[in-house]
Amino acid sequence: NHKQILINLNVKNKKNLFQELSTRSSVLNKSINDKKLFNEILKRERLGNTSIGKGIALPSALIENITKTFVLFSILSKPINYNSDDKKNVDIVCLVVSPNLSSSKHLYLLSNFSRIIKNGNIPNELRGCDTPDSILAVLSNFSFSSAA
């Protein structure tokens, strides 16, 4: 869904990013409560930083009231400090929100997406995209099965 791809998202910091992602998710998916989602993203982040390196972050949450996984992909207008292990600021963000009863599927999706998005030149290709179509093209060129 093109509406689930945000380009040039302007945020000041990590907390502001999570607020924006929560608000936009609740607008796109009426089953998502923005405040609950924000709190769940923060709770997950406290367990460990969701940066996966190379300027990429995969914040996530398990929440009630949704029946299938919801993904919101963002390219930030400028990189933000994410306290990443590799010290790189983050500008590619993929929020993954799953039903709270689907934790194993949730982890499977996160690990596959992490492998895909960090692969080779994909981060730089994504940074060069200026439309949702171009982002979908980059991501679809790399199938989930080949990431395993």
Side-chain angles (χ1 to χ4, degrees), residues 93-121:
V93 181
C94 183
L95 172 67
V96 180
V97 184
S98 297
N100 62 353
L101 298 175
S102 302
S103 58
S104 58
K105 184 178 179 190
H106 181 73
L107 293 173
Y108 174 79
L109 277 172
L110 285 170
S111 68
N112 268 341
F113 202 77
S114 172
R115 252 181 261 136
I116 290 169
I117 203 165
K118 283 173 67 173
N119 192 292
N121 200 38

PDB file of all heavy atoms in Angstrom, residues 93-121:
ATOM      1  N   VAL A  93      13.569   3.786   8.185  1.00  0.00           N
ATOM      2  CA  VAL A  93      12.840   3.240   9.337  1.00  0.00           C
ATOM      3  C   VAL A  93      11.681   2.389   8.838  1.00  0.00           C
ATOM      4  O   VAL A  93      10.883   2.836   8.012  1.00  0.00           O
ATOM      5  CB  VAL A  93      12.296   4.369  10.235  1.00  0.00           C
ATOM      6  CG1 VAL A  93      11.561   3.799  11.439  1.00  0.00           C
ATOM      7  CG2 VAL A  93      13.421   5.307  10.677  1.00  0.00           C
ATOM      8  N   CYS A  94      11.587   1.187   9.361  1.00  0.00           N
ATOM      9  CA  CYS A  94      10.462   0.320   9.025  1.00  0.00           C
ATOM     10  C   CYS A  94       9.800  -0.128  10.321  1.00  0.00           C
ATOM     11  O   CYS A  94      10.377  -0.902  11.082  1.00  0.00           O
ATOM     12  CB  CYS A  94      10.941  -0.876   8.219  1.00  0.00           C
ATOM     13  SG  CYS A  94       9.569  -1.926   7.708  1.00  0.00           S
ATOM     14  N   LEU A  95       8.610   0.391  10.568  1.00  0.00           N
ATOM     15  CA  LEU A  95       7.830   0.011  11.750  1.00  0.00           C
ATOM     16  C   LEU A  95       7.028  -1.244  11.421  1.00  0.00           C
ATOM     17  O   LEU A  95       6.330  -1.291  10.403  1.00  0.00           O
ATOM     18  CB  LEU A  95       6.883   1.149  12.134  1.00  0.00           C
ATOM     19  CG  LEU A  95       5.861   0.828  13.226  1.00  0.00           C
ATOM     20  CD1 LEU A  95       6.546   0.605  14.573  1.00  0.00           C
ATOM     21  CD2 LEU A  95       4.840   1.949  13.333  1.00  0.00           C
ATOM     22  N   VAL A  96       7.133  -2.252  12.279  1.00  0.00           N
ATOM     23  CA  VAL A  96       6.371  -3.485  12.105  1.00  0.00           C
ATOM     24  C   VAL A  96       5.488  -3.674  13.339  1.00  0.00           C
ATOM     25  O   VAL A  96       5.989  -3.757  14.461  1.00  0.00           O
ATOM     26  CB  VAL A  96       7.309  -4.707  11.928  1.00  0.00           C
ATOM     27  CG1 VAL A  96       6.501  -5.986  11.759  1.00  0.00           C
ATOM     28  CG2 VAL A  96       8.246  -4.505  10.735  1.00  0.00           C
ATOM     29  N   VAL A  97       4.179  -3.699  13.104  1.00  0.00           N
ATOM     30  CA  VAL A  97       3.206  -3.843  14.194  1.00  0.00           C
ATOM     31  C   VAL A  97       2.405  -5.117  13.943  1.00  0.00           C
ATOM     32  O   VAL A  97       1.795  -5.258  12.882  1.00  0.00           O
ATOM     33  CB  VAL A  97       2.237  -2.633  14.241  1.00  0.00           C
ATOM     34  CG1 VAL A  97       1.293  -2.745  15.428  1.00  0.00           C
ATOM     35  CG2 VAL A  97       3.013  -1.320  14.289  1.00  0.00           C
ATOM     36  N   SER A  98       2.433  -6.024  14.907  1.00  0.00           N
ATOM     37  CA  SER A  98       1.751  -7.304  14.744  1.00  0.00           C
ATOM     38  C   SER A  98       0.728  -7.523  15.848  1.00  0.00           C
ATOM     39  O   SER A  98       0.844  -6.945  16.930  1.00  0.00           O
ATOM     40  CB  SER A  98       2.767  -8.457  14.773  1.00  0.00           C
ATOM     41  OG  SER A  98       3.669  -8.365  13.701  1.00  0.00           O
ATOM     42  N   PRO A  99      -0.264  -8.400  15.581  1.00  0.00           N
ATOM     43  CA  PRO A  99      -1.202  -8.772  16.649  1.00  0.00           C
ATOM     44  C   PRO A  99      -0.431  -9.419  17.803  1.00  0.00           C
ATOM     45  O   PRO A  99       0.530 -10.161  17.556  1.00  0.00           O
ATOM     46  CB  PRO A  99      -2.114  -9.797  15.975  1.00  0.00           C
ATOM     47  CG  PRO A  99      -1.946  -9.602  14.515  1.00  0.00           C
ATOM     48  CD  PRO A  99      -0.554  -9.076  14.321  1.00  0.00           C
ATOM     49  N   ASN A 100      -0.833  -9.143  19.029  1.00  0.00           N
ATOM     50  CA  ASN A 100      -0.037  -9.625  20.161  1.00  0.00           C
ATOM     51  C   ASN A 100      -0.026 -11.148  20.305  1.00  0.00           C
ATOM     52  O   ASN A 100       0.772 -11.683  21.041  1.00  0.00           O
ATOM     53  CB  ASN A 100      -0.444  -8.945  21.469  1.00  0.00           C
ATOM     54  CG  ASN A 100      -1.878  -9.228  21.836  1.00  0.00           C
ATOM     55  OD1 ASN A 100      -2.623  -9.822  21.058  1.00  0.00           O
ATOM     56  ND2 ASN A 100      -2.280  -8.786  23.008  1.00  0.00           N
ATOM     57  N   LEU A 101      -0.866 -11.861  19.559  1.00  0.00           N
ATOM     58  CA  LEU A 101      -0.847 -13.320  19.611  1.00  0.00           C
ATOM     59  C   LEU A 101       0.047 -13.921  18.531  1.00  0.00           C
ATOM     60  O   LEU A 101       0.147 -15.144  18.416  1.00  0.00           O
ATOM     61  CB  LEU A 101      -2.273 -13.872  19.484  1.00  0.00           C
ATOM     62  CG  LEU A 101      -3.222 -13.451  20.600  1.00  0.00           C
ATOM     63  CD1 LEU A 101      -4.639 -13.936  20.319  1.00  0.00           C
ATOM     64  CD2 LEU A 101      -2.735 -13.970  21.950  1.00  0.00           C
ATOM     65  N   SER A 102       0.688 -13.075  17.739  1.00  0.00           N
ATOM     66  CA  SER A 102       1.503 -13.556  16.612  1.00  0.00           C
ATOM     67  C   SER A 102       2.983 -13.279  16.808  1.00  0.00           C
ATOM     68  O   SER A 102       3.681 -12.904  15.875  1.00  0.00           O
ATOM     69  CB  SER A 102       1.060 -12.873  15.315  1.00  0.00           C
ATOM     70  OG  SER A 102      -0.289 -13.099  15.066  1.00  0.00           O
ATOM     71  N   SER A 103       3.500 -13.482  18.017  1.00  0.00           N
ATOM     72  CA  SER A 103       4.884 -13.073  18.275  1.00  0.00           C
ATOM     73  C   SER A 103       5.907 -13.853  17.444  1.00  0.00           C
ATOM     74  O   SER A 103       6.898 -13.291  17.007  1.00  0.00           O
ATOM     75  CB  SER A 103       5.229 -13.152  19.754  1.00  0.00           C
ATOM     76  OG  SER A 103       5.032 -14.458  20.227  1.00  0.00           O
ATOM     77  N   SER A 104       5.679 -15.146  17.176  1.00  0.00           N
ATOM     78  CA  SER A 104       6.674 -15.884  16.395  1.00  0.00           C
ATOM     79  C   SER A 104       6.683 -15.413  14.936  1.00  0.00           C
ATOM     80  O   SER A 104       7.739 -15.247  14.335  1.00  0.00           O
ATOM     81  CB  SER A 104       6.449 -17.390  16.477  1.00  0.00           C
ATOM     82  OG  SER A 104       5.165 -17.722  16.019  1.00  0.00           O
ATOM     83  N   LYS A 105       5.508 -15.167  14.365  1.00  0.00           N
ATOM     84  CA  LYS A 105       5.438 -14.635  12.994  1.00  0.00           C
ATOM     85  C   LYS A 105       6.069 -13.239  12.943  1.00  0.00           C
ATOM     86  O   LYS A 105       6.756 -12.882  11.988  1.00  0.00           O
ATOM     87  CB  LYS A 105       3.980 -14.585  12.534  1.00  0.00           C
ATOM     88  CG  LYS A 105       3.827 -14.150  11.097  1.00  0.00           C
ATOM     89  CD  LYS A 105       2.378 -14.165  10.655  1.00  0.00           C
ATOM     90  CE  LYS A 105       2.276 -13.704   9.206  1.00  0.00           C
ATOM     91  NZ  LYS A 105       0.907 -13.464   8.790  1.00  0.00           N
ATOM     92  N   HIS A 106       5.842 -12.445  13.994  1.00  0.00           N
ATOM     93  CA  HIS A 106       6.392 -11.098  14.116  1.00  0.00           C
ATOM     94  C   HIS A 106       7.923 -11.143  14.060  1.00  0.00           C
ATOM     95  O   HIS A 106       8.553 -10.416  13.292  1.00  0.00           O
ATOM     96  CB  HIS A 106       5.898 -10.502  15.438  1.00  0.00           C
ATOM     97  CG  HIS A 106       6.346  -9.116  15.717  1.00  0.00           C
ATOM     98  ND1 HIS A 106       5.837  -8.020  15.049  1.00  0.00           N
ATOM     99  CD2 HIS A 106       7.232  -8.620  16.618  1.00  0.00           C
ATOM    100  CE1 HIS A 106       6.401  -6.917  15.529  1.00  0.00           C
ATOM    101  NE2 HIS A 106       7.249  -7.260  16.480  1.00  0.00           N
ATOM    102  N   LEU A 107       8.530 -12.031  14.836  1.00  0.00           N
ATOM    103  CA  LEU A 107       9.995 -12.151  14.863  1.00  0.00           C
ATOM    104  C   LEU A 107      10.527 -12.647  13.526  1.00  0.00           C
ATOM    105  O   LEU A 107      11.574 -12.201  13.054  1.00  0.00           O
ATOM    106  CB  LEU A 107      10.433 -13.091  15.995  1.00  0.00           C
ATOM    107  CG  LEU A 107      10.165 -12.563  17.396  1.00  0.00           C
ATOM    108  CD1 LEU A 107      10.470 -13.644  18.437  1.00  0.00           C
ATOM    109  CD2 LEU A 107      10.976 -11.305  17.675  1.00  0.00           C
ATOM    110  N   TYR A 108       9.793 -13.561  12.886  1.00  0.00           N
ATOM    111  CA  TYR A 108      10.179 -14.068  11.573  1.00  0.00           C
ATOM    112  C   TYR A 108      10.205 -12.930  10.543  1.00  0.00           C
ATOM    113  O   TYR A 108      11.162 -12.772   9.783  1.00  0.00           O
ATOM    114  CB  TYR A 108       9.203 -15.173  11.152  1.00  0.00           C
ATOM    115  CG  TYR A 108       9.406 -15.673   9.749  1.00  0.00           C
ATOM    116  CD1 TYR A 108      10.429 -16.571   9.457  1.00  0.00           C
ATOM    117  CD2 TYR A 108       8.566 -15.258   8.723  1.00  0.00           C
ATOM    118  CE1 TYR A 108      10.619 -17.028   8.152  1.00  0.00           C
ATOM    119  CE2 TYR A 108       8.748 -15.721   7.429  1.00  0.00           C
ATOM    120  CZ  TYR A 108       9.776 -16.603   7.150  1.00  0.00           C
ATOM    121  OH  TYR A 108       9.957 -17.046   5.865  1.00  0.00           O
ATOM    122  N   LEU A 109       9.152 -12.105  10.546  1.00  0.00           N
ATOM    123  CA  LEU A 109       9.093 -10.966   9.625  1.00  0.00           C
ATOM    124  C   LEU A 109      10.239  -9.993   9.875  1.00  0.00           C
ATOM    125  O   LEU A 109      10.889  -9.524   8.937  1.00  0.00           O
ATOM    126  CB  LEU A 109       7.770 -10.218   9.789  1.00  0.00           C
ATOM    127  CG  LEU A 109       6.573 -10.765   9.043  1.00  0.00           C
ATOM    128  CD1 LEU A 109       5.313 -10.032   9.468  1.00  0.00           C
ATOM    129  CD2 LEU A 109       6.776 -10.650   7.543  1.00  0.00           C
ATOM    130  N   LEU A 110      10.487  -9.674  11.143  1.00  0.00           N
ATOM    131  CA  LEU A 110      11.568  -8.740  11.474  1.00  0.00           C
ATOM    132  C   LEU A 110      12.923  -9.270  11.008  1.00  0.00           C
ATOM    133  O   LEU A 110      13.716  -8.524  10.432  1.00  0.00           O
ATOM    134  CB  LEU A 110      11.606  -8.476  12.980  1.00  0.00           C
ATOM    135  CG  LEU A 110      10.520  -7.565  13.533  1.00  0.00           C
ATOM    136  CD1 LEU A 110      10.538  -7.586  15.057  1.00  0.00           C
ATOM    137  CD2 LEU A 110      10.680  -6.146  13.021  1.00  0.00           C
ATOM    138  N   SER A 111      13.198 -10.550  11.247  1.00  0.00           N
ATOM    139  CA  SER A 111      14.514 -11.078  10.864  1.00  0.00           C
ATOM    140  C   SER A 111      14.666 -11.120   9.347  1.00  0.00           C
ATOM    141  O   SER A 111      15.725 -10.799   8.813  1.00  0.00           O
ATOM    142  CB  SER A 111      14.761 -12.455  11.480  1.00  0.00           C
ATOM    143  OG  SER A 111      13.912 -13.416  10.927  1.00  0.00           O
ATOM    144  N   ASN A 112      13.597 -11.509   8.629  1.00  0.00           N
ATOM    145  CA  ASN A 112      13.677 -11.513   7.164  1.00  0.00           C
ATOM    146  C   ASN A 112      13.853 -10.110   6.615  1.00  0.00           C
ATOM    147  O   ASN A 112      14.664  -9.875   5.719  1.00  0.00           O
ATOM    148  CB  ASN A 112      12.411 -12.136   6.559  1.00  0.00           C
ATOM    149  CG  ASN A 112      12.569 -13.611   6.327  1.00  0.00           C
ATOM    150  OD1 ASN A 112      13.676 -14.134   6.278  1.00  0.00           O
ATOM    151  ND2 ASN A 112      11.457 -14.290   6.204  1.00  0.00           N
ATOM    152  N   PHE A 113      13.080  -9.168   7.145  1.00  0.00           N
ATOM    153  CA  PHE A 113      13.183  -7.804   6.646  1.00  0.00           C
ATOM    154  C   PHE A 113      14.555  -7.216   6.941  1.00  0.00           C
ATOM    155  O   PHE A 113      15.141  -6.525   6.114  1.00  0.00           O
ATOM    156  CB  PHE A 113      12.071  -6.922   7.223  1.00  0.00           C
ATOM    157  CG  PHE A 113      11.831  -5.726   6.367  1.00  0.00           C
ATOM    158  CD1 PHE A 113      11.115  -5.835   5.185  1.00  0.00           C
ATOM    159  CD2 PHE A 113      12.371  -4.490   6.695  1.00  0.00           C
ATOM    160  CE1 PHE A 113      10.940  -4.733   4.353  1.00  0.00           C
ATOM    161  CE2 PHE A 113      12.192  -3.394   5.878  1.00  0.00           C
ATOM    162  CZ  PHE A 113      11.466  -3.525   4.706  1.00  0.00           C
ATOM    163  N   SER A 114      15.086  -7.529   8.112  1.00  0.00           N
ATOM    164  CA  SER A 114      16.423  -7.059   8.474  1.00  0.00           C
ATOM    165  C   SER A 114      17.451  -7.552   7.465  1.00  0.00           C
ATOM    166  O   SER A 114      18.307  -6.793   7.002  1.00  0.00           O
ATOM    167  CB  SER A 114      16.761  -7.564   9.876  1.00  0.00           C
ATOM    168  OG  SER A 114      18.089  -7.282  10.190  1.00  0.00           O
ATOM    169  N   ARG A 115      17.361  -8.831   7.096  1.00  0.00           N
ATOM    170  CA  ARG A 115      18.301  -9.391   6.129  1.00  0.00           C
ATOM    171  C   ARG A 115      18.175  -8.725   4.762  1.00  0.00           C
ATOM    172  O   ARG A 115      19.169  -8.429   4.109  1.00  0.00           O
ATOM    173  CB  ARG A 115      18.071 -10.900   5.991  1.00  0.00           C
ATOM    174  CG  ARG A 115      19.176 -11.688   6.633  1.00  0.00           C
ATOM    175  CD  ARG A 115      18.960 -13.167   6.468  1.00  0.00           C
ATOM    176  NE  ARG A 115      18.367 -13.633   7.719  1.00  0.00           N
ATOM    177  CZ  ARG A 115      17.358 -14.463   7.803  1.00  0.00           C
ATOM    178  NH1 ARG A 115      16.808 -14.966   6.735  1.00  0.00           N
ATOM    179  NH2 ARG A 115      16.891 -14.829   8.966  1.00  0.00           N
ATOM    180  N   ILE A 116      16.943  -8.510   4.330  1.00  0.00           N
ATOM    181  CA  ILE A 116      16.708  -7.901   3.015  1.00  0.00           C
ATOM    182  C   ILE A 116      17.259  -6.480   2.961  1.00  0.00           C
ATOM    183  O   ILE A 116      18.013  -6.112   2.073  1.00  0.00           O
ATOM    184  CB  ILE A 116      15.197  -7.864   2.693  1.00  0.00           C
ATOM    185  CG1 ILE A 116      14.688  -9.272   2.426  1.00  0.00           C
ATOM    186  CG2 ILE A 116      14.919  -6.964   1.485  1.00  0.00           C
ATOM    187  CD1 ILE A 116      13.169  -9.354   2.362  1.00  0.00           C
ATOM    188  N   ILE A 117      16.855  -5.693   3.950  1.00  0.00           N
ATOM    189  CA  ILE A 117      17.114  -4.256   3.877  1.00  0.00           C
ATOM    190  C   ILE A 117      18.588  -3.913   4.072  1.00  0.00           C
ATOM    191  O   ILE A 117      19.065  -2.898   3.590  1.00  0.00           O
ATOM    192  CB  ILE A 117      16.189  -3.508   4.859  1.00  0.00           C
ATOM    193  CG1 ILE A 117      16.015  -2.066   4.430  1.00  0.00           C
ATOM    194  CG2 ILE A 117      16.670  -3.626   6.270  1.00  0.00           C
ATOM    195  CD1 ILE A 117      14.866  -1.376   5.111  1.00  0.00           C
ATOM    196  N   LYS A 118      19.338  -4.785   4.747  1.00  0.00           N
ATOM    197  CA  LYS A 118      20.770  -4.527   4.955  1.00  0.00           C
ATOM    198  C   LYS A 118      21.615  -5.065   3.811  1.00  0.00           C
ATOM    199  O   LYS A 118      22.808  -4.820   3.745  1.00  0.00           O
ATOM    200  CB  LYS A 118      21.237  -5.196   6.257  1.00  0.00           C
ATOM    201  CG  LYS A 118      20.844  -4.448   7.501  1.00  0.00           C
ATOM    202  CD  LYS A 118      21.168  -5.225   8.749  1.00  0.00           C
ATOM    203  CE  LYS A 118      22.652  -5.381   8.979  1.00  0.00           C
ATOM    204  NZ  LYS A 118      22.927  -6.005  10.288  1.00  0.00           N
ATOM    205  N   ASN A 119      20.990  -5.806   2.912  1.00  0.00           N
ATOM    206  CA  ASN A 119      21.715  -6.518   1.872  1.00  0.00           C
ATOM    207  C   ASN A 119      22.396  -5.576   0.875  1.00  0.00           C
ATOM    208  O   ASN A 119      21.742  -4.718   0.283  1.00  0.00           O
ATOM    209  CB  ASN A 119      20.730  -7.434   1.135  1.00  0.00           C
ATOM    210  CG  ASN A 119      21.430  -8.417   0.235  1.00  0.00           C
ATOM    211  OD1 ASN A 119      22.016  -8.039  -0.766  1.00  0.00           O
ATOM    212  ND2 ASN A 119      21.374  -9.673   0.612  1.00  0.00           N
ATOM    213  N   GLY A 120      23.689  -5.769   0.691  1.00  0.00           N
ATOM    214  CA  GLY A 120      24.440  -5.080  -0.357  1.00  0.00           C
ATOM    215  C   GLY A 120      24.158  -3.599  -0.470  1.00  0.00           C
ATOM    216  O   GLY A 120      24.319  -2.833   0.474  1.00  0.00           O
ATOM    217  N   ASN A 121      23.678  -3.211  -1.644  1.00  0.00           N
ATOM    218  CA  ASN A 121      23.483  -1.795  -1.955  1.00  0.00           C
ATOM    219  C   ASN A 121      22.043  -1.328  -1.697  1.00  0.00           C
ATOM    220  O   ASN A 121      21.706  -0.189  -1.993  1.00  0.00           O
ATOM    221  CB  ASN A 121      23.867  -1.554  -3.420  1.00  0.00           C
ATOM    222  CG  ASN A 121      24.170  -0.091  -3.677  1.00  0.00           C
ATOM    223  OD1 ASN A 121      24.765   0.580  -2.840  1.00  0.00           O
ATOM    224  ND2 ASN A 121      23.748   0.404  -4.820  1.00  0.00           N
TER     225      ASN A 121
END
